[in-house]
Amino acid sequence: MNQYKLVAVLVTIMLIIFNPNLWSPIITKGAEQSVNSIQPKHEVERIFGQTRFDTMLQIALKFNPGKSRNVILATGHNFPDALAGVPLARQKNAPILLVDITPELSGKAFSYIKEHVDKKGHVYILGGSVVIPETFVSALVELGFDQGNIHRLAGLERYDTAVEIAKQLQHDGREFYVASGDTFADALSASVVAATENYVSTEKATYYKSIGQEIAESIGGVPILLVPSNKPVPESVTNYLNNFNLTGEQKQKINIIGGTAVVPESSVNQLNEVVEKIANNGITRFAGFERYDTMAVLNNQAEVFEVSNIYLASGENFPDALTGAVLAAKDCSPLVLVNDSLPKSSSELLQNFFNKNQEESRKNTKITVLGGEAVISNQTITHADYIFNFGGSSKDKGNVTNLVGSGKLGYKDGKAFEAEFAFPAGIAEGKDGTVYISDSKNHVIRALLPDGNVTTVAGKAQGIDHYGLKVGGFNDGFALEAMFNQPKGLALDNNDNLYVVDSGNGAIRFVDRFGNVKTLIKGLNSPSDVVIAPNGELFVTETLNHRIVKITENGIMSVLAGGEYLTDAGIVKGGYADGIGEKAKFNEPSGLAISPDGTLYVADTGNQRIRAISASGSVTTVAGSGLDLMAGTNYISGGFKNGMSSNAKFNFLSSIAVTADQTVYVADTYNHLIRVISKDGQVKTLAGRGNHGKQNGFLAQAEFDGPSYIRLSKKGSLLIVDHLSNLLREINLGN
């Protein structure tokens, strides 16, 4: 099936391009059930309410459902003053309560204070009276708190406030965390690490004593100081650092959180110059490419953590993460930031925690989710839980990862994960490891080079259409002056000629090793894919003529299989029949693969089947079933079913790959799955959840969005063109 033609029957091609959700109704329930049948082994608890204040109250009740001696108040509307408060909250064993602009609007916080805070205890207010007005102090006094026990920790600006909070900590002045005060994510990532730094429990001290080591109990806790991203380090910060009476050889250590965009090198240089007791090489930067990478770097170096409980919080908004960080710190458990999915770095961090649990024979891990489904989706929880159910299990040979692409629709060369594509459609791998990609809606051929950069190797567009997409053309010549129109399948011969299925032009083109584009043959009806036999002959799926054609190196074409079709208003109507040569029938065949013995495998898309063509031209069905047609079409209805190949169901599969031992991998496009057919004829789901998305990770937690082309790499992994995600993905098959 030509995938654009099928969608046109349902809506229009451009609606599908700009609204991939239209693919969703085609997914069968069976595809979803293939993954949702996983039964969690570990406890998952979500702490949430309808608003940030409701969630805060539930977290506070979890922190201490009885009486608290101390409590900390922070505004629920902005983050700066509260960022440095987590280490203090842990030392004071105090929940952080978020308040609104007046006491009257802060009912959730005051309900906790009235019922759960000892009136002889202490209240710490983070921020000045502009942030939390004096009316809060009056309201607390009216409740019975001694005004001398109400402490406002505030300075002229956020950096000074962080210093005032730091002054309240029990701390020896030898270690500090420094993060940007302009954003919240890095400071939040550091909050639990800083709050639990140097903590030694009674149990741990007793254990060390039993093995002959004297390590004293310690409450732990290291201050978090804030600095601006585009100004010098404030004087209040440097004065505070220099105000400790360190003796002898005692030196100070500073941990910088985040990259140079948030804490510039000029600030690091300033600290090195101004801080009097800084140790040689006493400043260490913990940073990643973005906030989730930085969070993972921090968590991986925090040896204090017990991973019997893991807290998930949003890295996109601060309230739930801020109040929940105190709960994580109390448990000495990691706080893992996520977004609307499970970022790669967060997923890998959870895998590291799983491995640590395995090493220490810790069987149970609880996942505590901070916030409602609008903050952290159930899908994200399922992904995290999957890791702690099956992480490292031998049943999963590998992971799904991105190989190239940012996931954005566009046209951009450069670093692999910053490159942009417009509906990539085919791949081929060169002898040197270069991966060529047909960028169909940019009408060019791109290459992922061994050095990790993406470049355009052939083709150019000639303007923009009214949908904002580039317009293709037809022109031979020097590679970067040549034009293509929706290039799809690719194949490389032994002479390094790159063959291109120029689908929109109905042609087979090739880029020779000297960088010239030439046309081998024209006049085909929407071809889709090409493979090359050992003797140099090309086999091509001529999709809208429903046949497989053979093309010699000289451009002479003959029909290998498929023919004798009916026509309707000039349109060739496909069919389904096994047989020899042109007696066989296909229905918009798309993908091709060739096995070492010369057998051709065909993704017979409109028939929802995989077919095989022997060297003699005999066509047989390998897998797939069903005969009922979709209403108003000539396509057999798609579906989802694993099991014996003769009973299995697919949903507009579009590409296949075959190993030397005849294992067949299938891009089951509209089910958003990668399927596998074993040598004994069993069809199974290899990767995917049955819903469209971009999630990486373990095979059963990964998501795809219209996977349309697959090839086995030279190292044995499976390369996948995830068409609607504008990504090239990879599965490590673990061979």
Side-chain angles (χ1 to χ4, degrees):
M1 178 207 64
N2 181 305
Q3 58 185 316
Y4 292 116
K5 182 182 175 187
L6 170 64
V7 177
V9 175
L10 304 175
V11 277
T12 66
I13 177 175
M14 298 317 298
L15 279 175
I16 253 303
I17 287 176
F18 289 107
N19 186 6
N21 289 327
L22 291 176
W23 290 47
S24 299
I26 306 176
I27 305 168
T28 64
K29 290 183 179 179
E32 298 175 31
Q33 291 167 351
S34 68
V35 172
N36 292 340
S37 60
I38 295 172
Q39 297 299 314
K41 299 175 183 176
H42 299 273
E43 181 183 355
V44 176
E45 178 184 15
R46 188 192 283 275
I47 304 176
F48 71 102
Q50 300 231 338
T51 69
R52 63 185 61 185
F53 300 103
D54 296 321
T55 299
M56 171 273 298
L57 178 58
Q58 296 305 314
I59 291 172
L61 290 170
K62 187 76 174 178
F63 183 90
N64 191 346
K67 284 288 184 181
S68 289
R69 179 70 178 170
N70 303 306
V71 70
I72 293 177
L73 302 186
T75 178
H77 293 290
N78 209 347
F79 60 84
D81 293 333
L83 285 178
V86 175
L88 177 64
R90 184 181 181 279
Q91 281 199 358
K92 300 297 182 182
N93 196 28
I96 292 181
L97 303 181
L98 301 181
V99 297
D100 213 321
I101 57 175
T102 67
E104 292 75 20
L105 294 174
S106 305
K108 303 299 181 183
F110 274 90
S111 69
Y112 184 85
I113 292 169
K114 290 174 185 177
E115 297 177 24
H116 299 282
V117 181
D118 188 339
K119 302 305 182 291
K120 294 181 181 180
H122 294 257
V123 181
Y124 298 86
I125 299 175
L126 307 184
S129 57
V130 173
V131 178
I132 301 180
E134 280 298 305
T135 51
F136 281 86
V137 176
S138 300
L140 290 166
V141 171
E142 287 180 14
L143 287 178
F145 287 91
D146 188 314
Q147 186 145 1
N149 288 345
I150 302 173
H151 315 278
R152 185 183 291 277
L153 307 180
L156 290 176
E157 53 183 352
R158 62 191 67 181
Y159 314 107
D160 310 321
T161 296
V163 168
E164 294 305 312
I165 294 170
K167 289 177 181 178
Q168 295 292 317
L169 285 175
Q170 297 179 38
H171 180 244
D172 64 8
R174 297 172 65 179
E175 185 173 7
F176 306 88
Y177 283 79
V178 172
S180 170
D182 297 324
T183 58
F184 66 86
D186 291 341
L188 265 179
S189 294
S191 64
V192 178
V193 180
T196 54
E197 189 86 10
N198 303 321
Y199 169 65
V200 180
S201 65
T202 302
E203 294 80 4
K204 191 170 186 177
T206 302
Y207 166 74
Y208 279 112
K209 188 173 182 179
S210 71
I211 61 173
Q213 297 182 31
E214 290 292 334
I215 297 181
E217 292 180 44
S218 171
I219 192 171
V222 172
I224 298 175
L225 302 174
L226 304 180
V227 297
S229 297
N230 54 5
K231 295 178 183 178
V233 177
E235 189 175 343
S236 61
V237 174
T238 56
N239 287 343
Y240 168 73
L241 291 169
N242 285 328
N243 201 37
F244 288 92
N245 294 318
L246 301 182
T247 60
E249 297 301 316
Q250 292 179 333
K251 296 292 184 180
Q252 290 176 318
K253 174 185 175 183
I254 297 175
N255 302 308
I256 304 294
I257 311 305
T260 55
V262 290
V263 181
E265 273 302 301
S266 59
S267 295
V268 174
N269 294 335
Q270 182 185 352
L271 289 170
N272 264 318
E273 292 172 5
V274 175
V275 178
E276 298 167 359
K277 288 284 189 175
I278 193 77
N280 290 332
N281 300 317
I283 298 181
T284 303
R285 187 185 291 274
F286 296 93
F289 182 72
E290 44 90 45
R291 64 185 61 183
Y292 300 101
D293 300 327
T294 297
M295 177 274 305
V297 169
L298 277 167
N299 277 280
N300 278 322
Q301 63 87 35
E303 296 181 2
V304 70
F305 284 151
E306 299 289 340
V307 285
S308 55
N309 197 355
I310 290 171
Y311 289 81
L312 296 185
S314 172
E316 304 298 316
N317 207 350
F318 76 94
D320 299 340
L322 173 67
T323 54
V326 185
L327 192 58
K330 182 181 180 180
D331 289 350
C332 288
S333 297
L335 180 74
V336 178
L337 300 184
V338 299
N339 51 25
D340 57 358
S341 64
L342 196 63
K344 180 182 178 183
S345 52
S346 302
S347 178
E348 290 174 348
L349 175 63
L350 292 176
Q351 174 64 38
N352 290 343
F353 288 149
F354 172 85
N355 294 338
K356 184 175 181 179
N357 282 353
Q358 295 292 100
E359 291 169 4
E360 298 177 3
S361 299
R362 187 181 289 113
K363 299 297 184 184
N364 298 313
T365 298
K366 180 180 178 181
I367 297 173
T368 301
V369 182
L370 303 171
E373 190 173 353
V375 177
I376 299 178
S377 68
N378 284 332
Q379 173 181 301
T380 297
I381 298 171
T382 300
H383 295 165
D385 187 56
Y386 180 83
I387 292 174
F388 282 94
N389 278 312
F390 301 111
S393 168
S394 61
K395 66 165 50 178
D396 289 314
K397 290 183 178 179
N399 296 321
V400 178
T401 58
N402 290 344
L403 185 65
V404 62
S406 67
K408 295 179 181 178
L409 175 67
Y411 177 43
K412 181 181 178 182
D413 283 337
K415 295 180 181 179
F417 298 120
E418 297 176 10
E420 296 175 0
F421 298 87
F423 308 107
I427 45 178
E429 185 179 10
K431 296 173 184 176
D432 65 350
T434 298
V435 177
Y436 297 92
I437 306 159
S438 57
D439 192 1
S440 68
K441 278 297 182 176
N442 281 323
H443 311 288
V444 296
I445 309 302
R446 317 277 291 280
L448 172 62
L449 304 174
D451 66 5
N453 287 305
V454 173
T455 186
T456 300
V457 296
K460 68 175 184 177
Q462 55 177 3
I464 303 294
D465 65 17
H466 60 287
Y467 293 106
L469 296 175
K470 294 182 181 296
V471 176
F474 183 86
N475 186 43
D476 283 343
F478 179 65
L480 294 179
E481 294 299 318
M483 290 185 182
F484 300 90
N485 189 359
Q486 295 186 53
K488 292 187 177 179
L490 300 174
L492 275 159
D493 69 11
N494 291 329
N495 296 318
D496 294 323
N497 294 307
L498 178 66
Y499 287 88
V500 181
V501 176
D502 193 5
S503 185
N505 284 321
I508 304 300
R509 319 274 293 282
F510 67 95
V511 186
D512 67 22
R513 58 180 177 168
F514 303 109
N516 297 306
V517 175
K518 301 176 183 178
T519 299
L520 180 66
I521 190 171
K522 284 192 69 174
L524 300 175
N525 195 354
S526 194
S528 291
D529 202 5
V530 58
V531 294
I532 302 175
N535 65 0
E537 291 179 326
L538 276 63
F539 296 100
V540 176
T541 47
E542 192 184 6
T543 300
L544 294 188
N545 275 339
H546 315 287
R547 61 188 185 179
I548 315 303
V549 298
K550 180 170 66 174
I551 303 171
T552 69
E553 293 174 305
N554 299 320
I556 299 172
M557 187 187 81
S558 59
V559 177
L560 177 68
E564 300 184 0
Y565 297 109
L566 300 175
T567 59
D568 183 5
I571 297 175
V572 181
K573 298 180 67 175
Y576 170 58
D578 286 338
I580 297 177
E582 296 185 54
K583 297 294 182 182
K585 295 185 186 300
F586 298 88
N587 194 350
E588 296 195 5
S590 54
L592 276 177
I594 188 167
S595 69
D597 68 357
T599 301
L600 274 177
Y601 289 81
V602 183
D604 191 5
T605 307
N607 283 327
Q608 317 293 353
R609 285 166 166 82
I610 297 164
R611 315 284 289 283
I613 308 174
S614 69
S616 63
S618 177
V619 177
T620 56
T621 297
V622 175
S625 63
L627 293 173
D628 295 334
L629 299 182
M630 292 176 61
T633 76
N634 194 43
Y635 306 120
I636 290 175
S637 295
F640 173 86
K641 187 177 182 181
N642 282 327
M644 282 301 300
S645 57
S646 57
N647 297 320
K649 290 184 180 295
F650 301 91
N651 206 354
F652 294 95
L653 69 164
S654 59
S655 185
I656 46 184
V658 184
T659 67
D661 68 355
Q662 306 296 313
T663 299
V664 179
Y665 294 97
V666 183
D668 193 359
T669 304
Y670 282 11
N671 276 330
H672 308 290
L673 298 171
I674 305 301
R675 313 277 290 281
V676 60
I677 308 171
S678 58
K679 291 178 289 184
D680 62 0
Q682 290 288 327
V683 177
K684 299 178 181 178
T685 298
L686 175 69
R689 289 167 39 82
N691 57 304
H692 64 83
K694 300 179 182 179
Q695 177 65 41
N696 286 321
F698 295 109
L699 299 179
Q701 79 176 118
E703 296 169 338
F704 301 92
D705 202 352
S708 64
Y709 202 84
I710 56 175
R711 284 292 183 263
L712 289 162
S713 74
K714 296 185 185 304
K715 66 180 182 181
S717 63
L718 193 64
L719 305 180
I720 303 160
V721 172
D722 204 12
H723 185 68
L724 294 179
S725 289
N726 297 300
L727 293 169
L728 178 58
R729 322 266 304 269
E730 183 176 28
I731 296 177
N732 173 15
L733 296 174
N735 295 333

